[in-house]
Amino acid sequence: MLFHKYNLIFTGIPKNASSSVYDILKNSTDRYHHHINIINEYNENDTDLMEIYTSFCIVRNPYDRFVSACYQIRRDNPDQNNHLSLDEIIEQEMKGKGPGEINEVFIAQHRFVCFGNRILVDNVLRYESLTKDWEEFAVEYNKTHPFPISLSLPTSNNTEDRKDWKQEIKSLSDFNFNLINQKYEKDFKLFDYKMLTR
């Protein structure tokens, strides 16, 4: 997402507070809230202009993000999906599907902001410490830019009454637990999250 007023490029990874960032930075010069990787963002826009913009993203513990994605699947189609377990959501949404067929909420985070093992954004904020990370980011940004951004980030598109991810992933079969570890292995490594074992 480009925010021309602020000279910012935000790569909104699904389920990582992208609605909150969009809500606080959007204005009439911006297009829309979307989730495309940073390489495509450059390809679709003026590269020379974007070189002077500051880029950032928000990353999240892969287990927590996966559970949040499952809750969204239930919420988006409650009549069909509300009763599904995490294992059943994996069967329905992930197994046997190619990269272009999978729902974006399950796409690995590195696919949005990396080329190989190289992180392409200037700043990586963490969902788990987002209040602090956003404030620090905003303070530094505001030192050199004419239009200040808020030091606090609103909460948008939040799931209420959600169990903790540590409890939720216990319900996964061993096979699907290992599948999640395999699918998000690069996210664990590149963004320094601990991969669990059974």
Side-chain angles (χ1 to χ4, degrees):
M1 290 174 244
L2 297 184
F3 299 100
H4 295 294
K5 177 179 178 179
Y6 300 106
N7 291 4
L8 287 172
I9 307 166
F10 172 57
T11 301
I13 301 171
K15 306 314 302 170
N16 291 12
S18 61
S19 294
S20 297
V21 173
Y22 179 76
D23 286 347
I24 203 170
L25 296 178
K26 67 182 175 184
N27 72 73
S28 59
T29 63
D30 305 320
R31 276 195 243 162
Y32 45 79
H33 178 183
H34 60 64
H35 301 288
I36 64 171
N37 68 52
I38 192 165
I39 293 173
N40 287 342
E41 192 82 81
Y42 270 86
N43 288 337
E44 293 178 11
N45 293 282
D46 184 334
T47 304
D48 290 336
L49 179 67
M50 291 178 67
E51 286 298 328
I52 66 169
Y53 283 18
T54 300
S55 60
F56 71 102
C57 74
I58 298 167
V59 298
R60 185 175 188 174
N61 181 296
Y63 298 120
D64 187 26
R65 180 173 176 260
F66 164 73
V67 171
S68 179
C70 290
Y71 271 79
Q72 180 169 324
I73 293 298
R74 291 173 179 154
R75 187 176 68 234
D76 287 350
N77 191 349
D79 291 339
Q80 179 181 326
N81 298 329
N82 205 36
H83 67 283
L84 296 180
S85 68
L86 298 191
D87 283 321
E88 290 168 329
I89 291 173
I90 289 174
E91 292 290 331
Q92 175 179 293
E93 300 290 333
M94 298 172 74
K95 287 192 177 170
K97 295 194 176 184
E101 301 171 309
I102 192 170
N103 188 311
E104 67 179 11
V105 297
F106 295 111
I107 296 173
Q109 297 171 82
H110 71 271
R111 295 192 174 276
F112 290 90
V113 294
C114 295
F115 181 75
N117 291 325
R118 183 178 169 207
I119 298 172
L120 300 177
V121 294
D122 302 320
N123 300 275
V124 176
L125 285 62
R126 299 177 87 80
Y127 186 90
E128 297 76 22
S129 55
L130 190 53
T131 300
K132 177 180 73 70
D133 287 7
W134 178 263
E135 182 177 355
E136 290 173 358
F137 174 75
V139 166
E140 283 304 306
Y141 170 89
N142 289 344
K143 289 177 183 178
T144 57
H145 290 80
F147 299 107
I149 59 176
S150 173
L151 300 186
S152 61
L153 199 61
T155 300
S156 303
N157 195 25
N158 203 27
T159 303
E160 296 181 11
D161 302 324
R162 210 197 93 179
K163 295 179 186 174
D164 184 76
W165 66 263
K166 293 172 188 163
Q167 178 154 3
E168 289 279 5
I169 63 169
K170 289 178 182 176
S171 70
L172 287 172
S173 69
D174 288 344
F175 181 88
N176 283 333
F177 179 80
N178 291 330
L179 180 70
I180 294 302
N181 279 349
Q182 179 183 3
K183 180 169 181 56
Y184 300 122
E185 180 179 10
K186 206 165 181 178
D187 287 353
F188 286 108
K189 288 180 180 175
L190 290 176
F191 306 125
D192 196 28
Y193 287 102
K194 183 179 179 181
M195 183 187 287
L196 302 178
T197 58
R198 283 189 171 170

